[in-house]
Amino acid sequence: MQVYPTELKRLPDERLLLIGWSDGQRRTYGYRELRDHCPCATCREKRRQTDQAPAANLLPVLGPGEDQPLEITGMKPVGNYAYSIAFSDGHDTGIFTFELLRELGTLERPGSGTP
Ligand SMILES: [Zn+2]
C-alpha cells in the first residue's frame, strides 16, 4: 500500500520542512538537503559529472546565490505520487516522488517536536 503525505508544514525557525505520512511517520527535511537530491535530469547530470570529475576539480566552489539561505518557495502535488518543489534559487523542475521523500529527511521521534 502506498503511503502519502497527510501533513505539510514549513518550520521557519529550524528552516525545515515537515511531512506527516499516512502511516504515522513524521519526517523533517532540510531545504538544502532536498535541493541537493533534486531528481530532475539537469541535477542528476550535474551530480554524475561531479562524481566523475578528477580529484583536482573536487575543491568546493561557491556559485552565485549559493551563499544565500535557500528557501522552499512552493510545493505542488503532481498526480497522486509526487510533489514538485520550487526553490528560492529559481529551480522548480524537480519532481520528488513520495518514494524519494521517504528515503530523505530525518524521522522525527515520537514525542519530540510540539510540546
Ligand atoms: Zn533539479
Side-chain angles (χ1 to χ4, degrees):
M1 194 184 77
Q2 164 120 37
V3 294
Y4 53 90
T6 55
E7 186 186 4
L8 199 56
K9 210 159 51 176
R10 250 181 292 215
L11 309 173
D13 293 345
E14 292 100 325
R15 306 184 50 75
L16 292 172
L17 176 80
L18 181 138
I19 302 181
W21 296 88
S22 55
D23 65 351
Q25 265 195 28
R26 299 177 100 208
R27 305 184 80 86
T28 52
Y29 303 82
Y31 302 157
R32 176 61 65 185
E33 178 190 10
L34 290 171
R35 182 66 179 85
D36 284 346
H37 288 85
C38 175
C40 84
T42 311
C43 293
R44 274 210 311 264
E45 180 67 9
K46 220 190 224 172
R47 283 198 295 270
R48 198 179 61 81
Q49 285 172 356
T50 309
D51 286 350
Q52 292 175 350
N57 289 346
L58 287 177
L59 289 172
V61 294
L62 194 63
E66 280 182 38
D67 55 335
Q68 301 292 322
L70 188 76
E71 301 281 348
I72 288 177
T73 55
M75 215 165 148
K76 275 184 301 203
V78 176
N80 55 1
Y81 69 96
Y83 273 100
S84 80
I85 301 182
F87 296 94
S88 57
D89 62 357
H91 193 71
D92 63 358
T93 47
I95 306 291
F96 290 74
T97 60
F98 298 162
E99 204 178 15
L100 174 63
L101 287 169
R102 293 278 292 195
E103 287 169 16
L104 303 174
T106 308
L107 185 61
E108 203 176 65
R109 286 182 306 277
S112 76
T114 43

Short mmCIF file of all heavy atoms in Angstrom, two decimals, residues 5-53:
data_model
loop_
_atom_site.label_atom_id
_atom_site.label_comp_id
_atom_site.label_asym_id
_atom_site.label_seq_id
_atom_site.Cartn_x
_atom_site.Cartn_y
_atom_site.Cartn_z
N PRO A 5 1.45 11.78 1.91
CA PRO A 5 1.52 12.82 2.93
C PRO A 5 0.15 13.23 3.42
O PRO A 5 -0.79 13.37 2.63
CB PRO A 5 2.19 14.00 2.19
CG PRO A 5 2.83 13.40 0.99
CD PRO A 5 1.97 12.24 0.61
N THR A 6 0.03 13.39 4.71
CA THR A 6 -1.21 13.86 5.30
C THR A 6 -1.03 15.25 5.91
O THR A 6 -1.99 15.90 6.29
CB THR A 6 -1.69 12.91 6.41
OG1 THR A 6 -0.64 12.75 7.35
CG2 THR A 6 -2.05 11.55 5.83
N GLU A 7 0.22 15.68 6.02
CA GLU A 7 0.52 16.96 6.66
C GLU A 7 1.77 17.53 6.01
O GLU A 7 2.71 16.81 5.71
CB GLU A 7 0.78 16.73 8.16
CG GLU A 7 0.97 18.00 8.96
CD GLU A 7 1.37 17.70 10.41
OE1 GLU A 7 1.58 16.51 10.74
OE2 GLU A 7 1.50 18.66 11.17
N LEU A 8 1.73 18.85 5.77
CA LEU A 8 2.84 19.50 5.10
C LEU A 8 3.03 20.84 5.79
O LEU A 8 2.08 21.62 5.87
CB LEU A 8 2.47 19.70 3.63
CG LEU A 8 3.56 19.95 2.61
CD1 LEU A 8 4.59 18.85 2.63
CD2 LEU A 8 2.93 20.03 1.23
N LYS A 9 4.23 21.06 6.32
CA LYS A 9 4.41 22.25 7.14
C LYS A 9 5.83 22.77 7.00
O LYS A 9 6.77 21.99 6.97
CB LYS A 9 4.14 21.87 8.61
CG LYS A 9 3.60 23.00 9.42
CD LYS A 9 2.87 22.57 10.69
CE LYS A 9 3.57 21.62 11.63
NZ LYS A 9 2.79 21.37 12.85
N ARG A 10 5.96 24.08 6.92
CA ARG A 10 7.28 24.68 7.00
C ARG A 10 7.56 25.04 8.45
O ARG A 10 6.70 25.57 9.13
CB ARG A 10 7.35 25.95 6.15
CG ARG A 10 8.21 25.79 4.91
CD ARG A 10 8.26 27.07 4.13
NE ARG A 10 6.94 27.37 3.55
CZ ARG A 10 6.78 27.96 2.36
NH1 ARG A 10 7.82 28.29 1.65
NH2 ARG A 10 5.59 28.20 1.89
N LEU A 11 8.75 24.70 8.92
CA LEU A 11 9.16 25.10 10.26
C LEU A 11 10.21 26.20 10.09
O LEU A 11 11.40 25.90 9.98
CB LEU A 11 9.74 23.90 11.03
CG LEU A 11 8.89 22.64 11.05
CD1 LEU A 11 9.64 21.47 11.68
CD2 LEU A 11 7.59 22.87 11.80
N PRO A 12 9.78 27.46 10.06
CA PRO A 12 10.68 28.56 9.68
C PRO A 12 11.86 28.70 10.64
O PRO A 12 12.95 29.04 10.21
CB PRO A 12 9.79 29.80 9.73
CG PRO A 12 8.40 29.32 9.92
CD PRO A 12 8.44 27.92 10.42
N ASP A 13 11.64 28.46 11.92
CA ASP A 13 12.73 28.62 12.88
C ASP A 13 13.86 27.64 12.63
O ASP A 13 15.03 27.99 12.63
CB ASP A 13 12.21 28.45 14.32
CG ASP A 13 11.26 29.58 14.71
OD1 ASP A 13 11.24 30.59 13.99
OD2 ASP A 13 10.54 29.42 15.70
N GLU A 14 13.48 26.39 12.37
CA GLU A 14 14.50 25.38 12.13
C GLU A 14 14.90 25.32 10.67
O GLU A 14 15.79 24.58 10.31
CB GLU A 14 13.98 23.99 12.55
CG GLU A 14 13.79 23.83 14.05
CD GLU A 14 12.33 24.00 14.47
OE1 GLU A 14 11.64 24.83 13.84
OE2 GLU A 14 11.91 23.32 15.40
N ARG A 15 14.20 26.10 9.81
CA ARG A 15 14.43 26.05 8.38
C ARG A 15 14.28 24.61 7.87
O ARG A 15 15.13 24.10 7.16
CB ARG A 15 15.82 26.60 8.02
CG ARG A 15 16.07 28.00 8.57
CD ARG A 15 17.40 28.55 8.11
NE ARG A 15 17.53 28.42 6.66
CZ ARG A 15 16.92 29.17 5.78
NH1 ARG A 15 16.13 30.13 6.19
NH2 ARG A 15 17.10 28.99 4.49
N LEU A 16 13.21 23.99 8.29
CA LEU A 16 12.95 22.61 7.89
C LEU A 16 11.55 22.50 7.31
O LEU A 16 10.67 23.31 7.60
CB LEU A 16 13.04 21.66 9.10
CG LEU A 16 14.41 21.45 9.74
CD1 LEU A 16 14.26 20.64 11.01
CD2 LEU A 16 15.37 20.76 8.78
N LEU A 17 11.39 21.48 6.50
CA LEU A 17 10.08 21.12 6.01
C LEU A 17 9.65 19.86 6.74
O LEU A 17 10.44 18.94 6.90
CB LEU A 17 10.16 20.84 4.50
CG LEU A 17 8.88 20.37 3.83
CD1 LEU A 17 7.98 21.55 3.56
CD2 LEU A 17 9.20 19.66 2.52
N LEU A 18 8.41 19.86 7.22
CA LEU A 18 7.92 18.68 7.91
C LEU A 18 6.84 18.02 7.08
O LEU A 18 5.93 18.69 6.59
CB LEU A 18 7.36 19.06 9.29
CG LEU A 18 6.83 17.89 10.12
CD1 LEU A 18 7.26 18.04 11.57
CD2 LEU A 18 5.33 17.76 10.05
N ILE A 19 6.95 16.73 6.90
CA ILE A 19 5.90 15.98 6.21
C ILE A 19 5.42 14.87 7.13
O ILE A 19 6.22 14.07 7.62
CB ILE A 19 6.41 15.38 4.88
CG1 ILE A 19 6.94 16.48 3.95
CG2 ILE A 19 5.27 14.63 4.17
CD1 ILE A 19 7.44 15.96 2.60
N GLY A 20 4.12 14.88 7.37
CA GLY A 20 3.49 13.79 8.09
C GLY A 20 2.94 12.80 7.08
O GLY A 20 2.39 13.21 6.06
N TRP A 21 3.08 11.52 7.36
CA TRP A 21 2.70 10.49 6.39
C TRP A 21 1.53 9.67 6.89
O TRP A 21 1.28 9.58 8.08
CB TRP A 21 3.90 9.57 6.09
CG TRP A 21 5.02 10.30 5.44
CD1 TRP A 21 6.04 10.96 6.07
CD2 TRP A 21 5.25 10.48 4.03
NE1 TRP A 21 6.87 11.54 5.13
CE2 TRP A 21 6.41 11.25 3.89
CE3 TRP A 21 4.56 10.05 2.89
CZ2 TRP A 21 6.91 11.61 2.63
CZ3 TRP A 21 5.06 10.41 1.65
CH2 TRP A 21 6.22 11.18 1.52
N SER A 22 0.85 9.03 5.94
CA SER A 22 -0.37 8.30 6.26
C SER A 22 -0.14 7.12 7.19
O SER A 22 -1.07 6.62 7.81
CB SER A 22 -1.05 7.81 4.97
OG SER A 22 -0.15 7.05 4.20
N ASP A 23 1.11 6.68 7.31
CA ASP A 23 1.38 5.58 8.24
C ASP A 23 1.83 6.09 9.61
O ASP A 23 2.29 5.32 10.44
CB ASP A 23 2.42 4.62 7.66
CG ASP A 23 3.77 5.28 7.48
OD1 ASP A 23 3.86 6.52 7.64
OD2 ASP A 23 4.75 4.57 7.18
N GLY A 24 1.73 7.41 9.81
CA GLY A 24 2.04 7.96 11.13
C GLY A 24 3.46 8.51 11.25
O GLY A 24 3.78 9.18 12.23
N GLN A 25 4.31 8.22 10.28
CA GLN A 25 5.67 8.77 10.32
C GLN A 25 5.64 10.27 10.11
O GLN A 25 4.82 10.79 9.35
CB GLN A 25 6.52 8.16 9.19
CG GLN A 25 7.33 6.98 9.61
CD GLN A 25 8.41 6.65 8.58
OE1 GLN A 25 8.90 7.52 7.85
NE2 GLN A 25 8.78 5.39 8.51
N ARG A 26 6.55 10.96 10.79
CA ARG A 26 6.78 12.38 10.51
C ARG A 26 8.25 12.54 10.23
O ARG A 26 9.10 12.11 10.99
CB ARG A 26 6.37 13.24 11.71
CG ARG A 26 4.91 13.12 12.07
CD ARG A 26 4.60 13.93 13.30
NE ARG A 26 3.99 15.22 12.96
CZ ARG A 26 4.11 16.31 13.71
NH1 ARG A 26 4.82 16.29 14.80
NH2 ARG A 26 3.51 17.44 13.34
N ARG A 27 8.55 13.15 9.09
CA ARG A 27 9.95 13.34 8.72
C ARG A 27 10.21 14.83 8.49
O ARG A 27 9.35 15.54 7.99
CB ARG A 27 10.29 12.56 7.45
CG ARG A 27 9.96 11.08 7.52
CD ARG A 27 10.41 10.35 6.26
NE ARG A 27 11.82 10.06 6.26
CZ ARG A 27 12.35 8.97 6.81
NH1 ARG A 27 11.58 8.10 7.40
NH2 ARG A 27 13.64 8.76 6.76
N THR A 28 11.41 15.25 8.88
CA THR A 28 11.80 16.63 8.64
C THR A 28 12.92 16.66 7.61
O THR A 28 13.78 15.77 7.56
CB THR A 28 12.29 17.31 9.93
OG1 THR A 28 13.29 16.51 10.54
CG2 THR A 28 11.14 17.52 10.90
N TYR A 29 12.88 17.72 6.78
CA TYR A 29 13.78 17.82 5.65
C TYR A 29 14.44 19.18 5.64
O TYR A 29 13.76 20.21 5.76
CB TYR A 29 13.00 17.66 4.33
CG TYR A 29 12.23 16.37 4.23
CD1 TYR A 29 10.97 16.25 4.83
CD2 TYR A 29 12.74 15.30 3.53
CE1 TYR A 29 10.27 15.07 4.74
CE2 TYR A 29 12.02 14.11 3.42
CZ TYR A 29 10.80 14.01 4.04
OH TYR A 29 10.09 12.83 3.95
N GLY A 30 15.75 19.20 5.51
CA GLY A 30 16.44 20.46 5.30
C GLY A 30 16.21 20.93 3.87
O GLY A 30 16.16 20.12 2.95
N TYR A 31 16.04 22.24 3.70
CA TYR A 31 15.81 22.76 2.35
C TYR A 31 16.97 22.40 1.44
O TYR A 31 16.79 22.01 0.29
CB TYR A 31 15.65 24.29 2.38
CG TYR A 31 14.52 24.78 3.25
CD1 TYR A 31 14.53 26.07 3.75
CD2 TYR A 31 13.44 23.96 3.55
CE1 TYR A 31 13.49 26.55 4.54
CE2 TYR A 31 12.40 24.42 4.35
CZ TYR A 31 12.43 25.72 4.84
OH TYR A 31 11.41 26.18 5.62
N ARG A 32 18.18 22.55 1.97
CA ARG A 32 19.37 22.26 1.17
C ARG A 32 19.46 20.78 0.83
O ARG A 32 19.87 20.39 -0.25
CB ARG A 32 20.62 22.75 1.92
CG ARG A 32 21.94 22.44 1.26
CD ARG A 32 22.10 23.07 -0.10
NE ARG A 32 22.13 24.53 -0.06
CZ ARG A 32 22.18 25.30 -1.16
NH1 ARG A 32 22.20 24.74 -2.36
NH2 ARG A 32 22.20 26.60 -1.06
N GLU A 33 19.05 19.96 1.79
CA GLU A 33 19.07 18.51 1.55
C GLU A 33 18.18 18.16 0.36
O GLU A 33 18.56 17.40 -0.53
CB GLU A 33 18.60 17.77 2.80
CG GLU A 33 18.55 16.24 2.61
CD GLU A 33 17.86 15.52 3.76
OE1 GLU A 33 17.26 16.19 4.62
OE2 GLU A 33 17.93 14.28 3.76
N LEU A 34 16.98 18.74 0.35
CA LEU A 34 16.06 18.45 -0.75
C LEU A 34 16.63 18.97 -2.08
O LEU A 34 16.59 18.28 -3.09
CB LEU A 34 14.70 19.11 -0.48
CG LEU A 34 13.89 18.48 0.65
CD1 LEU A 34 12.68 19.33 0.98
CD2 LEU A 34 13.46 17.06 0.28
N ARG A 35 17.20 20.17 -2.03
CA ARG A 35 17.76 20.76 -3.25
C ARG A 35 18.89 19.87 -3.78
O ARG A 35 19.00 19.65 -4.98
CB ARG A 35 18.27 22.17 -2.93
CG ARG A 35 18.84 22.93 -4.11
CD ARG A 35 17.77 23.24 -5.14
NE ARG A 35 18.32 23.99 -6.26
CZ ARG A 35 18.92 23.43 -7.31
NH1 ARG A 35 19.02 22.12 -7.38
NH2 ARG A 35 19.39 24.17 -8.28
N ASP A 36 19.71 19.36 -2.86
CA ASP A 36 20.85 18.54 -3.27
C ASP A 36 20.41 17.20 -3.84
O ASP A 36 21.17 16.54 -4.53
CB ASP A 36 21.80 18.30 -2.09
CG ASP A 36 22.65 19.54 -1.78
OD1 ASP A 36 22.69 20.45 -2.62
OD2 ASP A 36 23.26 19.57 -0.70
N HIS A 37 19.21 16.78 -3.50
CA HIS A 37 18.72 15.50 -4.02
C HIS A 37 17.69 15.68 -5.11
O HIS A 37 16.94 14.75 -5.43
CB HIS A 37 18.12 14.66 -2.88
CG HIS A 37 19.16 14.11 -1.95
ND1 HIS A 37 19.67 14.82 -0.89
CD2 HIS A 37 19.82 12.93 -1.94
CE1 HIS A 37 20.58 14.09 -0.27
NE2 HIS A 37 20.69 12.94 -0.88
N CYS A 38 17.64 16.87 -5.69
CA CYS A 38 16.69 17.14 -6.75
C CYS A 38 16.83 16.07 -7.84
O CYS A 38 17.92 15.83 -8.34
CB CYS A 38 16.92 18.53 -7.33
SG CYS A 38 15.87 18.86 -8.74
N PRO A 39 15.72 15.38 -8.15
CA PRO A 39 15.81 14.25 -9.08
C PRO A 39 15.66 14.63 -10.55
O PRO A 39 15.57 13.75 -11.39
CB PRO A 39 14.64 13.37 -8.63
CG PRO A 39 13.64 14.34 -8.09
CD PRO A 39 14.39 15.54 -7.58
N CYS A 40 15.62 15.91 -10.90
CA CYS A 40 15.42 16.27 -12.30
C CYS A 40 16.67 15.93 -13.12
O CYS A 40 17.75 15.74 -12.57
CB CYS A 40 15.05 17.74 -12.46
SG CYS A 40 16.44 18.87 -12.51
N ALA A 41 16.50 15.84 -14.41
CA ALA A 41 17.58 15.38 -15.29
C ALA A 41 18.80 16.28 -15.19
O ALA A 41 19.94 15.80 -15.17
CB ALA A 41 17.08 15.33 -16.73
N THR A 42 18.59 17.59 -15.11
CA THR A 42 19.70 18.53 -15.04
C THR A 42 20.56 18.27 -13.80
O THR A 42 21.78 18.20 -13.89
CB THR A 42 19.17 19.97 -14.99
OG1 THR A 42 18.21 20.13 -16.02
CG2 THR A 42 20.29 20.97 -15.17
N CYS A 43 19.92 18.14 -12.66
CA CYS A 43 20.67 17.95 -11.42
C CYS A 43 21.32 16.57 -11.37
O CYS A 43 22.42 16.41 -10.86
CB CYS A 43 19.77 18.14 -10.21
SG CYS A 43 19.20 19.84 -10.05
N ARG A 44 20.61 15.56 -11.90
CA ARG A 44 21.21 14.22 -11.94
C ARG A 44 22.48 14.24 -12.77
O ARG A 44 23.50 13.68 -12.38
CB ARG A 44 20.21 13.22 -12.52
CG ARG A 44 19.28 12.65 -11.48
CD ARG A 44 18.86 11.24 -11.85
NE ARG A 44 18.40 11.16 -13.22
CZ ARG A 44 17.12 11.23 -13.59
NH1 ARG A 44 16.20 11.37 -12.67
NH2 ARG A 44 16.78 11.17 -14.84
N GLU A 45 22.42 14.91 -13.91
CA GLU A 45 23.58 15.00 -14.79
C GLU A 45 24.73 15.74 -14.10
O GLU A 45 25.87 15.33 -14.17
CB GLU A 45 23.18 15.72 -16.09
CG GLU A 45 24.30 15.90 -17.09
CD GLU A 45 24.77 14.57 -17.69
OE1 GLU A 45 24.11 13.53 -17.46
OE2 GLU A 45 25.80 14.58 -18.36
N LYS A 46 24.37 16.80 -13.39
CA LYS A 46 25.37 17.58 -12.67
C LYS A 46 26.07 16.72 -11.64
O LYS A 46 27.28 16.73 -11.50
CB LYS A 46 24.68 18.76 -11.99
CG LYS A 46 25.45 20.07 -12.03
CD LYS A 46 24.75 21.06 -11.10
CE LYS A 46 24.64 22.42 -11.73
NZ LYS A 46 23.80 23.32 -10.93
N ARG A 47 25.27 15.96 -10.88
CA ARG A 47 25.86 15.11 -9.84
C ARG A 47 26.73 14.03 -10.47
O ARG A 47 27.78 13.69 -9.94
CB ARG A 47 24.76 14.48 -8.99
CG ARG A 47 24.16 15.45 -8.00
CD ARG A 47 23.41 14.74 -6.88
NE ARG A 47 22.24 14.03 -7.35
CZ ARG A 47 21.03 14.58 -7.43
NH1 ARG A 47 20.85 15.83 -7.08
NH2 ARG A 47 20.01 13.89 -7.86
N ARG A 48 26.29 13.49 -11.61
CA ARG A 48 27.07 12.45 -12.28
C ARG A 48 28.43 13.01 -12.69
O ARG A 48 29.46 12.37 -12.51
CB ARG A 48 26.31 11.96 -13.52
CG ARG A 48 26.78 10.62 -14.06
CD ARG A 48 25.96 10.21 -15.26
NE ARG A 48 26.09 11.18 -16.35
CZ ARG A 48 27.12 11.20 -17.20
NH1 ARG A 48 28.09 10.35 -17.08
NH2 ARG A 48 27.18 12.10 -18.17
N GLN A 49 28.42 14.21 -13.25
CA GLN A 49 29.68 14.82 -13.68
C GLN A 49 30.58 15.09 -12.49
O GLN A 49 31.78 14.91 -12.57
CB GLN A 49 29.41 16.13 -14.43
CG GLN A 49 28.88 15.88 -15.83
CD GLN A 49 28.44 17.16 -16.52
OE1 GLN A 49 28.46 18.23 -15.92
NE2 GLN A 49 28.03 17.04 -17.77
N THR A 50 29.99 15.51 -11.38
CA THR A 50 30.79 15.77 -10.18
C THR A 50 31.45 14.47 -9.71
O THR A 50 32.60 14.45 -9.32
CB THR A 50 29.90 16.34 -9.06
OG1 THR A 50 29.18 17.44 -9.60
CG2 THR A 50 30.74 16.82 -7.90
N ASP A 51 30.68 13.37 -9.77
CA ASP A 51 31.22 12.09 -9.35
C ASP A 51 32.43 11.70 -10.17
O ASP A 51 33.35 11.06 -9.67
CB ASP A 51 30.16 10.99 -9.49
CG ASP A 51 29.09 11.12 -8.40
OD1 ASP A 51 29.32 11.91 -7.47
OD2 ASP A 51 28.07 10.45 -8.51
N GLN A 52 32.40 12.03 -11.45
CA GLN A 52 33.46 11.58 -12.34
C GLN A 52 34.61 12.57 -12.48
O GLN A 52 35.59 12.29 -13.14
CB GLN A 52 32.87 11.32 -13.74
CG GLN A 52 31.92 10.12 -13.74
CD GLN A 52 31.23 9.93 -15.07
OE1 GLN A 52 31.33 10.80 -15.94
NE2 GLN A 52 30.55 8.82 -15.24
N ALA A 53 34.45 13.74 -11.89
CA ALA A 53 35.48 14.76 -12.06
C ALA A 53 36.79 14.31 -11.43
O ALA A 53 36.78 13.62 -10.41
CB ALA A 53 35.02 16.06 -11.41
#
